Amino acid sequence: MRLENEIRRMEASDERQYMMNEDYEVYEKQGAPLGAVAFHYHNFYELLYVLEGEYSSMIEDKSYALKKGDFLLIDMNRMHKYQYEEGKHDSSKRIILWITPQMLESLGNGGPDLSACFRGHETYAFHFPIYYEELLQGYLLKLAMTKMQESGDAEMKKLMDRGVLTLFFTYLNVLCEKGEYRFAEGVLERDPMVEQVSDYIDRHLAEKITVDDLAKVAHMSKYYFLRKFKDITGMTAHSFLINKRLIHACELLKNGEGVTETYQMCGFADYTSFLRNFRETYGVAPGKYKEYYQA
């Protein structure tokens, strides 16, 4: 039987979107979030499982209306946000798991790529048959516990958690490959404006892009576009553009591209602008970021 004080919790008012542990974190969260209402992204993977009630999330241009038993898998450097619906999520309860690519690689131990479940699907949301859902739920609740019911030994808890994580992601990867467990395209809601703007930026990333250009793509006046874009995404169109450039820069650096070539390919006017924005977002210079992933 689950005891309430054994579960790690994150308050609905907690706006933290960074990890305090090196490898992974698991929390239970209840109620409508007061933070995460603007687009943001991480350099780690995020998994959300709905324990009770409903929850809505927007990933890039797609909206997901999640219900009890649904899983949402968010890839690294993927723009996403909580989508507020008045009074609808007050009783929502979910488990959030954050995990680094290094931890998943370690769990795989040179075998299967356990991060594959976060990539390569038409959807980020899944619903599994009840047997598998309860199995995965059990693993998540074990991970969220502050201590083992069987023992108070912290080192044993750490070792058990590693085994549970391995089992959880092994099952999850196998299940995510089955098309019948993915959300159907018809269940998703797309925002055409965000989709058009995002696609345009992707196609012209190395070029100079202005707000006027984006408004034209959206077939709106500049000022109406700016207001509507902020209402939908929670961030300005300029910030969205900068973050899209930074996300692509991270991918290039991780793949071994040089710093100079990277900022030019991502459309930054000069290195100073690139450095300032990169440091503000990631806390390190682009060269250090590249060294970390090339080590």
Side-chain angles (χ1 to χ4, degrees):
M1 183 176 177
R2 180 160 65 106
L3 300 177
E4 292 299 313
N5 62 3
E6 291 180 340
I7 299 292
R8 291 188 188 89
R9 284 193 171 78
M10 181 183 284
E11 296 299 321
S13 58
D14 193 334
E15 299 184 26
R16 177 166 65 92
Q17 293 297 324
Y18 57 88
M19 288 178 61
M20 294 192 294
N21 295 333
E22 291 184 2
D23 300 320
Y24 67 95
E25 296 181 16
V26 187
Y27 298 96
E28 185 181 275
K29 201 166 186 177
Q30 187 169 356
L34 302 180
V37 293
F39 267 143
H40 59 280
Y41 54 96
H42 317 291
N43 60 351
F44 50 82
Y45 299 106
E46 179 172 357
L47 178 144
L48 185 146
Y49 167 67
V50 182
L51 270 171
E52 296 177 13
E54 300 180 30
Y55 187 84
S56 295
S57 186
M58 185 175 189
I59 305 179
E60 296 187 330
D61 63 305
K62 294 180 183 177
S63 295
Y64 296 84
L66 306 172
K67 297 182 179 179
K68 185 180 184 308
D70 291 340
F71 287 80
L72 189 68
L73 280 63
I74 304 172
D75 197 1
M76 291 192 302
N77 287 331
R78 193 68 63 185
M79 295 271 212
H80 63 282
K81 65 185 282 289
Y82 163 63
Q83 200 159 31
Y84 176 73
E85 293 186 48
E86 187 173 357
K88 198 170 183 180
H89 305 137
D90 294 345
S91 60
S92 169
K93 185 183 289 186
R94 58 238 175 244
I95 294 180
I96 297 168
L97 185 155
W98 292 337
I99 190 163
T100 65
Q102 294 82 5
M103 183 63 179
L104 283 174
E105 186 177 351
S106 171
L107 294 174
N109 196 29
D113 178 8
L114 295 182
S115 68
C117 56
F118 291 96
R119 300 185 304 275
H121 308 296
E122 300 82 10
T123 176
Y124 293 97
F126 300 82
H127 189 94
F128 306 121
I130 189 65
Y131 169 78
Y132 293 115
E133 182 205 328
E134 290 182 348
L135 182 71
L136 295 174
Q137 180 193 110
Y139 289 147
L140 286 173
L141 289 173
K142 267 191 180 301
L143 291 165
M145 287 182 177
T146 57
K147 60 183 179 180
M148 289 193 304
Q149 293 175 320
E150 300 81 3
S151 166
D153 190 297
E155 287 303 311
M156 288 295 289
K157 171 73 165 91
K158 187 175 180 181
L159 185 61
M160 179 177 279
D161 282 355
R162 186 178 177 88
V164 170
L165 277 168
T166 304
L167 285 168
F168 177 82
F169 278 102
T170 300
Y171 273 107
L172 187 64
N173 273 274
V174 171
L175 292 169
C176 286
E177 285 303 309
K178 298 183 181 297
E180 62 266 33
Y181 301 155
R182 304 170 192 170
F183 269 37
E185 187 70 22
V187 178
L188 309 179
E189 290 185 18
R190 287 178 178 269
D191 188 283
M193 184 191 67
V194 177
E195 182 179 16
Q196 289 167 347
V197 168
S198 184
D199 287 348
Y200 179 85
I201 292 171
D202 288 340
R203 292 196 308 271
H204 300 274
L205 204 62
E207 305 167 20
K208 180 180 178 181
I209 301 174
T210 67
V211 171
D212 290 299
D213 294 329
L214 300 180
K216 189 174 181 180
V217 168
H219 307 291
M220 298 175 183
S221 71
K222 177 180 175 180
Y223 296 105
Y224 180 70
F225 166 72
L226 289 172
R227 286 197 305 273
K228 189 168 178 62
F229 193 90
K230 180 76 180 290
D231 287 344
I232 293 172
T233 66
M235 72 190 324
T236 66
H238 177 72
S239 293
F240 184 84
L241 171 60
I242 294 297
N243 281 293
K244 290 279 281 185
R245 294 193 193 279
L246 289 171
I247 287 169
H248 188 55
C250 287
E251 295 303 315
L252 292 174
L253 292 169
K254 282 192 285 188
N255 291 330
E257 196 66 64
V259 173
T260 300
E261 292 79 8
T262 293
Y263 87 74
Q264 291 172 344
M265 292 167 69
C266 294
F268 286 95
D270 50 55
Y271 177 69
T272 302
S273 172
F274 176 50
L275 176 63
R276 182 183 69 254
N277 283 286
F278 199 96
R279 272 185 170 159
E280 285 177 359
T281 302
Y282 296 101
V284 296
K288 287 291 183 183
Y289 185 92
K290 179 183 177 181
E291 287 175 16
Y292 176 77
Y293 280 98
Q294 297 300 306

